[in-house]
Amino acid sequence: NEMVKSDKDHKNRLLRYRLLKYAAMIVMVMGVGFATYKVIQTPEKQAETPIKIAFAETEAHPLNFTVVTLPDGSTVKMNANTRIDYPEKFSATTRKVKLSGEAFFQVTRDTLHPFIIETENASVEVLGTSFNVSAYPLSGLVEVNVKTGKVKLTQLTDGKSDQKTAILPAGEHGWLKVNSGEIGHAEMLAPNYSAWLTKEISFQRTPLAEAFSVLENTYHVTIKMDNAEIGKILYTANFANLKLDYIIEVIARTHKLKVKRAGDEIIFARIRN
């Protein structure tokens, strides 16, 4: 009886071992299957999810700017307080990105897949070119300066085209005034449109109010005047890769103005006798 019982226990242990072995194999197969399914599915899911790039560098004298390479090899150089949204993989028909702020685009040419930049109030469509887009939400203005190639600027209302369009070849600059809906263009590039990128600035009988606006966008400060008449003063000078402090000092000396500072805020005032 002892031998029968021992033999029976041995058979039971063997049966349990085999059952556990088969169960482990089933779990392993299921695990491999799930892992394979996950590996296959993940890229598709990621391709539908935009990568959001936010750049909020607001130092008084930023030395660097953000550069992003898009899935097609196009590059985007971004000014301060600029955001670009784009997918990990472009669709089969178009290359579409969203922009808030200012950036210089160098777009890889692809005639089968138009490149479209959407801002809050306009769209910019190209096949392959280089150009600057400024579309800060609070500015009330969308501006495009075309360095090479050709660009189509179109007004958008609630995300849909209003059929107001300007075709801009190389060397031209176009704009959309958001409040009035006016679209226009000029057969020249806007003065200092790339100053934020190159730190090269040229003023030719430029009203100081306009000059201060260029300096604000280039050096990321706020410039104010204690008298509106200061803004009407015409100013001529060229600056290349110079510090803002030097430029401010030259402007003040040239027009006998005094300068007050409060953090990143610069205030020009007349010297009272």
Side-chain angles (χ1 to χ4, degrees):
N1 287 341
E2 292 282 341
M3 290 181 63
V4 170
K5 186 176 179 182
S6 175
D7 185 60
K8 196 173 184 180
D9 288 344
H10 176 71
K11 287 180 179 179
N12 285 338
R13 283 196 300 273
L14 187 61
L15 181 61
R16 282 198 300 272
Y17 170 78
R18 286 176 178 173
L19 287 174
L20 288 171
K21 181 179 178 183
Y22 294 144
M25 289 174 66
I26 291 170
V27 168
M28 186 165 37
V29 169
M30 288 178 67
V32 170
F34 175 76
T36 304
Y37 175 80
K38 188 174 181 183
V39 167
I40 292 172
Q41 292 298 316
T42 299
E44 291 183 7
K45 186 175 181 182
Q46 288 178 343
E48 295 170 359
T49 305
I51 298 174
K52 296 182 178 179
I53 303 293
F55 181 53
E57 179 61 71
T58 54
E59 293 179 7
H61 309 287
L63 300 176
N64 301 307
F65 43 81
T66 295
V67 181
V68 175
T69 301
L70 300 179
D72 65 338
S74 299
T75 59
V76 187
K77 296 175 182 176
M78 300 164 65
N79 200 353
N81 301 309
T82 294
R83 168 176 164 162
I84 181 170
D85 293 2
Y86 61 96
E88 185 175 279
K89 183 179 180 182
F90 286 127
S91 75
T93 55
T94 60
R95 298 172 286 167
K96 186 179 289 188
V97 303
K98 291 185 178 180
L99 173 72
S100 175
E102 182 173 25
F104 184 84
F105 290 81
Q106 290 181 286
V107 176
T108 301
R109 186 168 180 80
D110 183 349
T111 56
L112 298 178
H113 302 90
F115 190 96
I116 299 171
I117 302 161
E118 286 191 351
T119 72
E120 188 175 359
N121 304 104
S123 73
V124 178
E125 183 176 340
V126 301
L127 296 175
T129 183
S130 60
F131 55 96
N132 195 85
V133 180
S134 180
Y136 285 104
L138 299 179
S139 69
L141 189 69
V142 177
E143 287 187 281
V144 181
N145 282 272
V146 185
K147 186 176 181 181
T148 62
K150 186 181 289 186
V151 167
K152 181 169 76 172
L153 172 65
T154 303
Q155 182 183 20
L156 295 181
T157 301
D158 296 328
K160 296 181 180 178
S161 172
D162 271 356
Q163 303 305 315
K164 288 185 179 179
T165 296
I167 304 298
L168 310 171
E172 288 198 7
H173 120 262
W175 60 85
L176 164 66
K177 295 181 180 178
V178 175
N179 290 337
S180 65
E182 175 197 336
I183 279 190
H185 66 99
E187 294 180 353
M188 62 174 63
L189 296 171
N192 302 304
Y193 81 91
S194 62
W196 68 270
L197 196 60
T198 64
K199 298 297 185 290
E200 295 180 1
I201 302 171
S202 178
F203 298 132
Q204 303 297 324
R205 292 184 58 79
T206 305
L208 278 183
E210 185 180 327
F212 292 159
S213 180
V214 171
L215 294 177
E216 285 181 323
N217 193 52
T218 303
Y219 293 97
H220 315 301
V221 293
T222 299
I223 301 178
K224 294 182 178 180
M225 298 165 282
D226 76 342
N227 187 317
E229 292 301 311
I230 294 175
K232 298 177 183 178
I233 297 172
L234 300 181
Y235 184 61
T236 298
N238 295 312
F239 301 104
N241 294 305
L242 295 172
K243 290 186 176 181
L244 178 63
D245 289 345
Y246 175 80
I247 297 173
I248 294 299
E249 182 184 340
V250 169
I251 293 174
R253 261 192 290 121
T254 302
H255 293 289
K256 296 181 173 58
L257 301 171
K258 65 178 180 179
V259 179
K260 294 183 289 184
R261 294 175 178 271
D264 285 343
E265 188 172 278
I266 298 167
I267 304 166
F268 279 86
R270 286 191 181 278
I271 298 175
R272 307 195 195 289
N273 296 324

